[in-house]
Amino acid sequence: MDWISEIDKLRKEKNAIILAHNYQIAEIQDLGDFSGDSLELARKATETDADMIVMCGVDFMAETAKILNPGKKVIIPSLNAKCPMSAMLTRQELLEAKAQHPEADVVLYVNSGADCKALATSCCTSANADKIVNAMESDVVIFGPDRNLAEYVMKRTDKKIIPVPEKGYCYTHAQIRLEGVKDKMEKHPNADLVVHPECFPEVQEIADAIASTSGMLRYCKESSAKEFIIGTECGMLHRLEKENPGKKFYPAFDDAICLQMKEITLEKLYNSLKNEQHEVKVPEDISERAIKAINRMLEIS
Ligand code: 13P
Ligand code: SF4
C-alpha cells in the first residue's frame, strides 16, 4: 500500500486538514498540511475551513482543536496518543489549589485536560508562558502541570507562582540530564545548546537559548552558529535538518523519544481518515468554559 498517496486522496475527498506536531515521525511531518508547535497548531485550528481536522499529535492538542471548532469533526489517529504529563493534573487537585488561593489566577499549560482548562483563567504554551503569566491581573498565579516550565516562568516574573501538581513533568525531557548534555558539549565545542523549557532548570541554565519547538526553528535559522545541540524530543531534528541545509544538529540525549507522539503511523493515519475515527468529543459545558481560557491565550500571545 502506498500510504502517502492513499492518504492524499482521502484528505482531498473528505476536505480534511492534517495538522502535525513537530515531534511526529518525519513522514507525517512531511505530508501534513501544516506542522508546528502547540501554539501554532491551536492557531491553525481556528483558521481552517476544512470539514475535518486530523490531529497528528496527542490528546490535548486534538481536544483543543475540537474546543475551537465545536461544529467540525476532529479526529486523532490513535487513542493511545495521550500525553502523560497532561494526565498528572487532576480537576480535584486544581479545585483544591483554587480553594487554598482564592485570589489567584490560574494559568494552565495547553498540555492539560479540557476539564482542567475549564477552571483556568488562561492557557499558555511553552512559546508564551511568561507573557501570559505577566498579563494576569492577580499577583498570585496557580500554574501547572509542568514544574520545569513553572520554574522557567518564576525567573521571568515578579508574581508568586504556585505549581500544581507540585512536581508535574514530561518524561521525555526528564531524560535530558545535565551530565549527558555536558558530554555532548565537550564533543561539539562549537555548537550552541538550544533546549525546551520542559527540561530541568539546571539544563536550561547552561543553554544558549530556551525555546518552544518552533522557537527552536527560528533560533537555529537566524543564528550564525553552524552546529546545535538540541534538548528536546528527537523528532524535532527532522525539520531542523530539512530547513537548515549546511547546519548540523545533535540530540542532547539520543533517545529522547515521546512514545505517545510516535503512536501515530502512516497506516493509522490512513485508517483514521478512511473510517473517520477516533472522533474527539468534549462535553458542551466543559468546552464552553475551556474555550475562554484558550481564547484568552490566543488574544494575549
Ligand atoms: P511545543 O511544541 O509547544 O514546544 O510543545 C512541546 C511538547 O512537549 C508538546 O507536547
Ligand atoms: Fe507530553 Fe512530553 Fe510527550 Fe509532549 S513530549 S506529549 S509533554 S510526554
Side-chain angles (χ1 to χ4, degrees):
M1 176 83 99
D2 177 357
W3 298 117
I4 296 180
S5 55
E6 292 302 317
I7 288 167
D8 213 32
K9 263 191 235 159
L10 279 173
R11 102 170 102 190
K12 283 181 191 128
E13 250 170 63
K14 299 193 182 229
N15 188 27
I17 184 174
I18 299 173
L19 302 181
H21 187 265
N22 290 325
Y23 296 160
Q24 290 290 293
I25 58 169
E27 295 86 336
I28 289 185
Q29 291 191 37
D30 289 347
L31 70 71
D33 293 283
F34 179 81
S35 52
D37 68 5
S38 315
L39 180 62
E40 290 171 335
L41 294 180
R43 273 202 199 291
K44 212 65 193 172
T46 64
E47 291 163 3
T48 180
D49 54 11
D51 295 318
M52 195 193 297
I53 298 174
V54 189
M55 182 57 76
C56 295
V58 287
D59 52 352
F60 69 83
M61 297 173 179
E63 262 184 7
T64 302
K66 179 64 186 175
I67 292 165
L68 290 166
N69 292 281
K72 283 190 179 151
K73 195 172 237 187
V74 176
I75 57 175
I76 185 160
S78 167
L79 286 175
N80 295 326
K82 287 186 191 318
C83 168
M85 176 168 67
S86 150
M88 286 176 190
L89 177 63
T90 63
R91 186 176 164 85
Q92 187 53 35
E93 194 164 5
L94 186 53
L95 282 169
E96 282 163 20
K98 276 170 74 94
Q100 274 171 27
H101 305 279
E103 78 286 20
D105 278 317
V106 177
V107 175
L108 287 191
Y109 198 18
V110 278
N111 303 40
S112 57
D115 57 341
C116 290
K117 287 188 178 84
L119 299 171
T121 320
S122 178
C123 289
C124 75
T125 72
S126 56
N128 58 23
D130 47 340
K131 192 171 180 189
I132 303 281
V133 165
N134 283 321
M136 292 296 103
E137 267 173 32
S138 175
D139 289 334
V140 184
V141 176
I142 296 170
F143 188 96
D146 187 23
R147 175 71 192 227
N148 294 330
L149 185 61
E151 304 243 355
Y152 169 88
V153 170
M154 282 177 207
K155 292 186 181 122
R156 289 162 179 81
T157 187
D158 294 330
K159 293 183 192 282
K160 181 172 182 198
I161 305 294
I162 318 271
V164 281
E166 211 181 311
K167 286 195 174 126
Y169 67 97
C170 161
Y171 75 95
T172 308
H173 289 87
Q175 297 175 83
I176 303 170
R177 300 284 175 156
L178 187 60
E179 287 317 308
V181 176
K182 282 186 174 165
D183 287 348
K184 289 272 174 162
M185 290 167 84
E186 258 174 47
K187 250 188 176 165
H188 307 290
N190 297 322
D192 274 8
L193 174 65
V194 186
V195 308
H196 197 275
E198 286 176 21
C199 290
F200 287 119
E202 63 268 26
V203 173
Q204 295 186 32
E205 260 158 40
I206 60 165
D208 295 291
I210 309 166
S212 77
T213 56
S214 291
M216 287 180 174
L217 280 160
R218 278 191 295 279
Y219 178 87
C220 296
K221 227 174 247 177
E222 286 162 14
S223 167
S224 56
K226 293 278 176 273
E227 294 176 73
F228 302 86
I229 298 166
I230 302 297
T232 195
E233 213 271 353
C234 291
M236 190 61 221
L237 270 74
H238 172 65
R239 245 184 106 183
L240 284 165
E241 281 164 354
K242 195 169 136 187
E243 294 181 14
N244 296 282
K247 292 190 175 181
K248 285 199 170 135
F249 299 93
Y250 315 105
F253 175 66
D254 293 341
D255 295 317
I257 302 291
C258 174
L259 296 172
Q260 290 71 24
M261 283 279 182
K262 270 35 183 190
E263 265 291 320
I264 297 177
T265 59
L266 287 174
E267 185 175 356
K268 285 185 193 161
L269 173 53
Y270 167 79
N271 284 327
S272 84
L273 264 167
K274 185 162 173 268
N275 303 319
E276 302 190 9
Q277 67 184 20
H278 308 276
E279 193 175 351
V280 178
K281 298 227 162 103
V282 181
E284 217 177 292
D285 55 329
I286 300 262
S287 183
E288 275 167 8
R289 280 181 288 148
I291 198 169
K292 292 187 187 144
I294 299 169
N295 279 336
R296 187 89 187 265
M297 165 182 82
L298 294 175
E299 279 156 30
I300 300 169
S301 54

